[in-house]
Amino acid sequence: MRIREIKWIDLQLYQDVLAGELDIGIFRGAINDEMCKITARNFWNHLKLKKRQDNVPSFEVGAHHFGQSLDNYFNEVQKEHDNLINLFKGTDNFLAKYQNFIRSYLHDSCGIYFRLASHQSRQASPFVMRSWSNQEPFQLLPHEDVAQLKEPLQKGFEIQKAYDSTLVSTNVCIENGIGGELVVWEYRPTLEDRMHMHVEYSGYPYLEKNLDEFNSYKIPVYEGDIYFLNGSLVHAVKSNILGARSIISFFSSAISKQEILYWS
């Protein structure tokens, strides 16, 4: 497993994961404690905080495309727009600043456009904030993020062009108690694997007993960390022993040599 962590933000690390040259990159302590505390408080007190009704239990603010029809997703994106902004009430919108930093860096250094994914003039959501709520041993069960790019209900959505590129899952840890480690297995399921395990379009969940033959790595995650990983690897989040774990997350991937999309 190729992992690198640093105590500052160097977007070459993000590019290395995007290029498949690293598996996991971590910016330790990238967001300061006060910003995290205010954002966490805004999240848990948010009037539009909702509990997911599908088989991926969590509390969240924002829209996610997982398992959704395109109409449902984009309607939800529109409804959630102001709700996302309110997460940063009383502090800086550090997530927008981070994404703008990526945009400027890629354009200035490589001539690459970093933009929101869209469909028929409707733009995707830039991120979602959530706190997983599954029971032990994992609050987020083992899964990978590539399978969902083949969801038939989303035929024509341009993110599906990213299926053969590296999908990067970016997560900003806003709060974490004791536990809540990231676990990553050295396993990239094939389409045949997914079909055999009946997760062809979801990539969720993989049974732990089917992962025993693969090496796994447990990585501590702390408040203020930004971590990003190759989403084709099966990964999970351990349950917290104490406190809650909340994150802001989004996906990104290249659809050409000149364009990288991001979405939630």
Side-chain angles (χ1 to χ4, degrees):
M1 186 72 65
R2 299 164 301 174
I3 304 169
R4 186 180 175 212
E5 58 179 82
I6 56 179
K7 294 182 179 179
W8 62 94
I9 295 178
D10 178 353
L11 289 179
Q12 182 61 52
L13 203 59
Y14 166 75
Q15 278 191 284
D16 288 345
V17 175
L18 192 67
E21 296 171 4
L22 274 180
D23 298 311
I24 302 168
I26 308 171
F27 301 141
R28 294 290 188 193
I31 310 300
N32 73 49
D33 291 346
E34 186 64 19
M35 287 180 176
C36 288
K37 284 180 171 59
I38 293 172
T39 307
R41 184 168 63 245
N42 290 341
F43 174 71
W44 290 111
N45 292 334
H46 204 297
L47 294 177
K48 297 298 183 180
L49 180 68
K50 58 183 181 285
K51 190 169 185 178
R52 280 176 66 160
Q53 301 301 314
D54 59 10
N55 64 336
V56 192
S58 67
F59 295 94
E60 66 183 26
V61 174
H64 61 86
H65 83 101
F66 179 80
Q68 303 264 37
S69 70
L70 288 177
D71 279 343
N72 285 347
Y73 172 62
F74 283 103
N75 289 341
E76 193 74 5
V77 170
Q78 186 175 5
K79 288 193 299 184
E80 293 282 348
H81 179 269
D82 290 343
N83 298 335
L84 294 181
I85 294 172
N86 290 337
L87 287 167
F88 304 102
K89 187 176 180 180
T91 189
D92 281 343
N93 187 337
F94 51 82
L95 199 282
K97 288 184 175 180
Y98 179 63
Q99 290 176 331
N100 284 335
F101 183 35
I102 297 174
R103 182 177 295 107
S104 297
Y105 173 85
L106 291 174
H107 182 265
D108 294 345
S109 64
C110 313
I112 294 172
Y113 291 95
F114 180 77
R115 64 172 178 84
L116 273 173
S118 64
H119 179 69
Q120 296 179 351
S121 77
R122 296 184 292 179
Q123 287 190 319
S125 178
F127 68 91
V128 63
M129 183 168 179
R130 55 168 62 103
S131 180
W132 305 109
S133 58
N134 196 62
Q135 302 302 310
E136 292 185 0
F138 297 108
Q139 57 182 292
L140 174 60
L141 297 175
H143 68 287
E144 41 84 11
D145 302 314
V146 174
Q148 56 193 277
L149 295 179
K150 285 290 189 180
E151 171 58 68
L153 292 172
Q154 297 174 11
K155 186 177 180 180
F157 190 11
E158 64 176 345
I159 66 172
Q160 296 194 330
K161 297 177 186 176
Y163 182 78
D164 294 318
S165 301
T166 301
L167 176 66
V168 178
S169 172
T170 294
N171 303 272
V172 183
C173 182
I174 301 302
E175 59 178 339
N176 198 14
I178 299 173
E181 299 92 348
L182 173 68
V183 182
V184 185
W185 285 263
E186 283 187 329
Y187 175 40
R188 293 176 171 85
T190 64
L191 176 59
E192 291 74 21
D193 292 339
R194 295 186 198 115
M195 293 175 68
H196 177 71
M197 298 180 196
H198 307 291
V199 293
E200 183 178 357
Y201 302 126
S202 65
Y204 173 94
Y206 288 87
L207 299 179
E208 195 174 3
K209 66 180 181 181
N210 293 332
L211 302 173
D212 287 344
E213 65 181 286
F214 303 103
N215 292 331
S216 65
Y217 298 80
K218 187 164 70 171
I219 302 164
V221 176
Y222 307 105
E223 292 176 10
D225 290 349
I226 300 176
Y227 65 94
F228 38 98
L229 67 149
N230 186 325
S232 68
L233 291 162
V234 174
H235 53 286
V237 176
K238 294 286 287 183
S239 293
N240 279 85
I241 299 169
L242 182 67
R245 185 186 198 273
S246 64
I247 60 167
I248 292 173
S249 64
F250 64 92
F251 297 116
S252 56
S253 187
I255 59 167
S256 73
K257 291 182 179 179
Q258 289 77 38
E259 284 185 295
I260 295 171
L261 305 181
Y262 67 101
W263 69 93
S264 70

